[in-house]
Amino acid sequence: MAKTLATIGYAIVVRDLPPRPGCVLETATLQRQSGEAQLSFEGRKVTVNPPADVYEISVVVNAHREGLIAASTLRSVERAAVHAQRAGIRVEPIIVLDRGDNLTRLVCSEWCSKGASRILYDTQYGDLGLARNEGAIRAKGEWLAFVDADDLIGENWLTDAFGAAVSDSRPVVWHPELNIAFGSESYVYVHVDMESPFFDVSAIAITNLWTALTFSRRSMFLKVPYRATQLSKQIGFEDWGWAMETIEAGYIHKIVEGTVHAIRKKTVSLVQQTTAAQCLPTPSDLFIRTISSGVLEAQK
């Protein structure tokens, strides 16, 4: 007799077990080893292989016109994916090429041709925020990580971010601890954890506190999508506005200790264009609610 004991990304079926009334998952333990799942139930072990299209993490690389620079980014994604896969974490690499040029398309296509799970989506949004949303919609993983095609992620980023995420049941957006800026500018930027005594929510009214290279549940990115940039209406900084919207929605922004990204600084960038247009992030009710809660607290 076959009995389905659990569904954890895929159905685990254990055969030849005597039927027992009230058999529940709590009596079994699950271990993932090199892409396999091993279930121990009353001394009996069964190993099953997950379907090919089941992933713990989807990595979305947002590309545009990076050209040969994108090759370095994709190599860093590949190293991080291999590191995660060695820990038994299945990774789906996705490239969203938004209004890309021929050279960037060639670099991305060649990289995707070297891995069966690598997928390239060609879009015509002309908007980074909307391209990120497309990646979230297309992804199959439970967890989602974003990477821009001119930046570099640390080899342990996916592994350690996944470990931190599955150990915390709260709604959290995860960030690397450090960012090393290189290119037209060079500096080290330390991300602040919202649960740090140094965090002040009012600071995000003045500047963005985190980069867009984030890690969280895919469902969160679908619930709080990125807004389109509207330079003519002076609405921009899609990642800054998104950070405020996620806080308003109840999400906590935290760091993964011991992780680092390298962020390429360019002489011409979307940030510079939105700054020149004197843009502000999409309006948010975050501070109205923060002020209101502070007033109510003061009145107690």
Side-chain angles (χ1 to χ4, degrees):
M1 176 179 179
K3 184 174 183 62
T4 301
L5 292 182
T7 299
I8 305 180
Y10 46 90
I12 299 173
V13 179
V14 179
R15 299 186 181 277
D16 301 325
L17 288 178
R20 291 174 178 268
C23 177
V24 294
L25 177 62
E26 282 72 18
T27 62
T29 58
L30 177 74
Q31 291 182 329
R32 297 181 190 274
Q33 296 178 343
S34 302
E36 296 180 339
Q38 188 173 82
L39 184 68
S40 300
F41 181 77
E42 295 186 352
R44 190 185 295 265
K45 291 185 178 181
V46 178
T47 299
V48 294
N49 292 312
D53 61 348
V54 171
Y55 304 96
E56 279 78 31
I57 303 172
S58 294
V59 183
V60 176
V61 181
N62 288 104
H64 177 49
R65 295 174 177 269
E66 292 78 11
L68 295 176
I69 288 175
S72 298
T73 299
L74 296 174
R75 282 196 295 270
S76 79
V77 169
E78 183 173 354
R79 285 194 296 268
V82 169
H83 189 282
Q85 287 161 357
R86 287 173 179 166
I89 305 167
R90 293 170 60 82
V91 178
E92 176 193 34
I94 297 173
I95 301 175
V96 178
L97 179 63
D98 189 43
R99 293 190 184 176
D101 57 18
N102 290 334
L103 179 56
T104 307
R105 182 173 290 102
L106 177 62
V107 170
C108 293
S109 298
E110 183 177 348
W111 186 78
C112 287
S113 69
K114 296 178 181 178
S117 64
R118 302 175 185 180
I119 305 174
L120 172 62
Y121 294 106
D122 212 321
T123 63
Q124 295 297 320
Y125 292 114
D127 186 283
L128 179 55
L130 299 183
R132 292 197 201 283
N133 295 342
E134 180 74 18
I137 292 169
R138 298 280 190 171
K140 298 175 182 176
E142 179 181 359
W143 301 89
L144 187 59
F146 279 113
V147 184
D148 289 343
D150 51 3
D151 297 330
L152 306 171
I153 60 174
E155 185 178 27
N156 64 324
W157 167 238
L158 298 177
T159 306
D160 290 3
F162 179 80
V166 297
S167 66
D168 194 326
S169 61
R170 299 174 299 171
V172 180
V173 179
W174 297 93
H175 302 270
E177 184 174 14
L178 296 177
N179 295 284
I180 300 174
F182 69 102
S184 61
E185 299 177 68
S186 298
Y187 56 86
V188 175
Y189 180 74
V190 182
H191 274 149
V192 63
D193 190 304
M194 279 185 64
E195 295 184 310
S196 163
F198 300 106
F199 176 77
D200 184 345
V201 70
S202 63
I204 202 170
I206 302 170
T207 185
N208 190 11
L209 301 177
W210 304 286
T211 68
L213 277 61
T214 55
F215 185 101
S216 191
R217 287 189 184 275
R218 173 176 172 266
S219 58
M220 188 277 299
F221 292 101
L222 298 177
K223 180 181 177 181
V224 188
Y226 285 88
R227 304 283 187 162
T229 295
Q230 303 177 71
L231 294 181
S232 62
K233 296 182 179 180
Q234 295 183 303
I235 299 296
F237 301 108
E238 86 293 335
D239 52 341
W240 183 3
W242 179 83
M244 287 191 286
E245 287 193 74
T246 53
I247 296 173
E248 182 186 347
Y251 288 87
I252 308 167
H253 288 253
K254 293 186 63 61
I255 63 166
V256 181
E257 293 184 0
T259 57
V260 61
H261 289 167
I263 308 298
R264 189 182 302 272
K265 307 300 290 186
K266 303 180 288 291
T267 53
V268 178
S269 67
L270 179 59
V271 171
Q272 291 173 325
Q273 292 173 352
T274 50
T275 301
Q278 297 182 317
C279 289
L280 291 173
T282 300
S284 167
D285 290 337
L286 171 63
F287 300 106
I288 295 176
R289 296 185 182 184
T290 301
I291 293 169
S292 298
S293 62
V295 170
L296 291 174
E297 186 66 27
Q299 290 175 345
K300 290 182 180 179

